Amino acid sequence: MTDFRGGLPSGGGGEVPGQGELSARGARIADGAAGLLDKGFDKYLDDPFDADQNPQGILNFGTSENKLCFDLLQERLSKPDMNYLEPHLLQYSDTQGIKSFREEIAKFLTEYANASVPLDPEHIIVMNGCCAVFATLSTVLCDPGDGYLIPTPYYGGINSKTWLYGGMQPVHVPLFSEVADKGSQSFQLTVEKLEAAYQGAREKGIRVRALILINPHNPLGGIYPAQLLTECLEFAHRYELHIIMDEIYMLSVYGDTTFTSILSLKSLPDPDRTHFMWGFSKDFGMCGIRVGILYTRNHYIRKAVNQLVVFHGCSGPVQHVLQQILKDRDWLDNVFFPISKKRLKEAQNILVDGLAEIGIPVLKSSGGLYVWADFRKFLKTQTFEAEIDLWMKILDEKLLISPGKAFCCYEPGWFRVVFSDSVDKIILCIQRLQQLLCDKMDEPVSLCSCPEQNKCTESDDNVSANVMNTPVDDVSEGYSQLKKIAVF
């Protein structure tokens, strides 16, 4: 069995050869051990699945990428308006982003986020991905050691993005699967939980500077109701906290739940401390393009971030291509978004049905590219050590998914499984899980009734890549009609 325990963060130790060449800051950065998902992804890169060349390789269902719309993008990117090159695209441009591109982003977000007022292009900063947005915001908002509130579980990559530059630390707001009463649901956020976490941090001497919310949520796939968003904004205003709203899955919504962007709220308690981020990676299936945007009305924050953006800029030709895509509303409204949402919903149904057949329930979700799946009954003990053991066994079965520990979940046994891939791969993913969980493992133990006893204290990052081609909308009958595909 693959063993990754050596990759967990160490407690320090003596100076390693060559470390003396680094500054204290450089040593701190270099000493950050690779996360669990980095190790798993490295193993995937050594043996990636390919239907023709390597059918026994590792399937990647751990990286959140939308691989369902490459055919649509390929066709659109082949149009004549993309074949354009003028001298100014190869010259230095405004580090904040080419003005015409920012203007098109403003129009796009005003319409698609149903903004209460038109967005001002001068309040937009274009960067090479949302990771850069987190890194620069954390640097200008916080001093080293300051904290940010964030409900758990959450995308663990935020930890490194806010720590490497800014030296921020997460202040967890733990959410659990247990339903407290009829009016509540699993992993439900409340202002009372925010309040408890904030006061706990203050008692430990941590200065909390911000609240980070992800909507639609990663990894839960839920959508915050408008009322809860308003309550969170009022809570942040009460304690003069900045709100960082990550809406990178804003248009990857496929259920019946209504999505409310923070841009659509008619009145913000503290506009100068409310910051919005979005990018092209998820909603447009363009992770490799590396373009994210920050929208903030705060002049001083824009001024500070703009000093750092010189390290995080986007090339002129890329900005031109994306500007042309955003301008083509006919294609967006009648081709790309309707087909993308249809394929996402169909792919989710196939994965959820397949997981159900092998006894794995999932949390109900309406957004994102993944499901939050309950593997707890397959753990030998209800501990994070048992969760990592199961994760490694699944990886040895040539399947990469994401353990809950990587999302700072406080209950062991939850995994994020991505579904935005071809039917062929989804079915093969289910078959490999079934081979391990139903055919090879001993009888699992019963669930523990006290999830609070198994708190997660470490986090991990996530990376990217993969291939294969049967479109979801070619086969939409569900998992039960498809499971006869051969196991590789």
Side-chain angles (χ1 to χ4, degrees):
M1 181 191 297
T2 307
D3 193 347
F4 294 144
R5 290 184 181 83
L8 295 175
S10 63
E15 184 178 293
V16 297
Q19 193 175 42
E21 304 296 325
L22 298 173
S23 66
R25 178 174 52 218
R28 174 181 65 85
I29 293 171
D31 206 32
L36 292 171
L37 295 185
D38 291 333
K39 294 286 188 179
F41 188 73
D42 287 344
K43 187 171 173 63
Y44 160 73
L45 289 179
D46 289 339
D47 186 23
F49 173 87
D50 184 277
D52 299 318
Q53 303 298 321
N54 189 24
Q56 296 184 26
I58 296 174
L59 285 165
N60 183 0
F61 277 74
T63 303
S64 182
E65 294 179 304
N66 185 347
K67 302 167 190 169
L68 296 174
C69 294
F70 177 76
D71 58 328
L72 306 178
L73 292 168
Q74 184 180 43
E75 181 182 13
R76 183 62 187 85
L77 292 170
S78 302
K79 298 290 185 183
D81 62 338
M82 297 297 177
N83 187 22
Y84 171 88
L85 194 62
E86 290 290 335
H88 77 274
L89 294 179
L90 299 182
Q91 296 165 0
Y92 291 123
S93 62
D94 188 344
T95 55
Q96 188 172 340
I98 295 173
K99 185 177 180 180
S100 60
F101 182 39
R102 288 187 284 113
E103 289 173 345
E104 204 57 53
I105 292 171
K107 293 175 187 174
F108 174 81
L109 289 175
T110 297
E111 179 179 346
Y112 287 83
N114 193 27
S116 58
V117 295
L119 272 64
D120 186 341
E122 294 306 312
H123 295 170
I124 291 172
I125 302 175
V126 178
M127 301 186 219
N128 58 346
C130 286
C131 294
V133 178
F134 274 121
T136 54
L137 265 184
S138 65
T139 303
V140 305
L141 291 181
C142 306
D143 293 316
D146 285 348
Y148 59 90
L149 287 173
I150 189 163
T152 71
Y154 64 95
Y155 169 56
I158 291 173
N159 289 348
S160 63
K161 309 309 180 287
T162 54
W163 175 80
L164 283 172
Y165 283 8
M168 291 183 74
Q169 58 180 313
V171 175
H172 291 168
V173 183
L175 308 180
F176 297 95
S177 63
E178 184 178 358
V179 177
D181 52 58
K182 289 183 178 181
S184 64
Q185 55 191 342
S186 296
F187 298 104
Q188 184 168 346
L189 177 64
T190 64
V191 171
E192 290 75 19
K193 294 173 184 177
L194 290 173
E195 183 78 45
Y198 177 78
Q199 296 301 339
R202 290 189 61 184
E203 290 171 5
K204 294 177 182 177
I206 300 171
R207 185 177 74 146
V208 178
R209 290 282 290 158
L211 166 62
I212 296 178
L213 296 176
I214 308 169
N215 188 33
H217 196 274
N218 182 7
L220 301 179
I223 293 172
Y224 288 124
Q227 179 61 35
L228 178 58
L229 280 178
T230 301
E231 292 172 1
C232 290
L233 288 166
E234 291 170 348
F235 164 83
H237 179 51
R238 187 159 63 248
Y239 293 110
E240 299 184 340
L241 304 180
H242 291 268
I243 284 267
I244 301 173
M245 201 75 206
D246 178 357
E247 295 189 14
I248 196 168
Y249 293 98
M250 176 181 74
L251 299 173
S252 299
V253 175
Y254 42 82
D256 297 329
T257 307
T258 300
F259 173 75
T260 302
S261 171
I262 202 166
L263 298 176
S264 70
L265 298 180
K266 288 189 170 28
S267 98
L268 298 174
D270 199 343
D272 272 356
R273 289 195 180 95
T274 304
H275 319 294
F276 165 92
M277 55 194 292
W278 174 81
F280 289 81
S281 295
K282 313 302 181 182
D283 291 338
F284 280 94
M286 294 182 175
C287 294
I289 286 285
R290 308 305 305 132
V291 176
I293 70 107
L294 167 66
Y295 186 80
T296 178
R297 302 181 192 181
N298 190 306
H299 167 75
Y300 295 104
I301 289 176
R302 291 198 308 273
K303 185 177 179 181
V305 169
N306 273 329
Q307 296 296 317
L308 297 173
V309 167
V310 67
F311 307 118
H312 300 286
C314 303
S315 71
V318 164
Q319 294 186 59
H320 167 76
V321 165
L322 296 180
Q323 180 179 329
Q324 298 309 111
I325 286 177
L326 294 184
K327 286 170 67 174
D328 193 350
R329 300 305 171 80
D330 180 64
W331 180 75
L332 293 177
D333 291 341
N334 298 308
V335 179
F336 185 78
F337 285 132
I339 293 176
S340 177
K341 290 188 178 188
K342 178 175 180 287
R343 290 178 179 179
L344 284 172
K345 185 58 181 174
E346 290 170 347
Q348 188 211 35
N349 287 341
I350 293 168
L351 180 66
V352 170
D353 288 349
L355 291 173
E357 289 210 8
I358 54 177
I360 300 172
V362 304
L363 196 69
K364 183 180 179 182
S365 60
S366 300
L369 310 176
Y370 36 75
V371 293
W372 190 236
D374 185 357
F375 284 70
R376 287 179 293 173
K377 74 177 183 179
F378 295 102
L379 299 186
K380 296 296 184 183
T381 60
Q382 295 303 304
T383 63
F384 284 104
E385 182 179 21
E387 176 185 281
I388 299 306
D389 284 342
L390 176 59
W391 177 64
M392 290 190 290
K393 287 177 181 177
I394 294 171
L395 189 53
D396 286 338
E397 199 64 31
K398 304 293 186 176
L399 177 63
L400 177 61
I401 60 176
S402 304
K405 186 178 175 66
F407 301 92
C408 297
C409 186
Y410 274 55
E411 293 179 12
W414 292 87
F415 286 73
R416 190 188 74 174
V417 187
V418 174
F419 58 75
S420 49
D421 212 326
S422 66
V423 169
D424 312 59
K425 286 187 180 178
I426 295 174
I427 301 308
L428 186 53
C429 165
I430 296 298
Q431 290 174 334
R432 289 185 179 181
L433 278 175
Q434 185 171 24
Q435 284 179 330
L436 173 69
L437 301 177
C438 302
D439 300 341
K440 295 183 178 179
M441 292 186 65
D442 298 330
E443 190 70 23
V445 299
S446 59
L447 290 179
C448 169
S449 59
C450 301
E452 293 86 349
Q453 296 175 358
N454 293 297
K455 292 185 179 179
C456 175
T457 57
E458 298 172 20
S459 66
D460 295 283
D461 207 346
N462 213 347
V463 221
S464 61
N466 209 326
V467 282
M468 196 170 166
N469 296 317
T470 305
V472 171
D473 45 4
D474 283 354
V475 200
S476 58
E477 296 90 344
Y479 173 75
S480 60
Q481 301 298 316
L482 300 168
K483 57 185 179 180
K484 294 183 180 179
I485 295 176
V487 179
F488 294 104

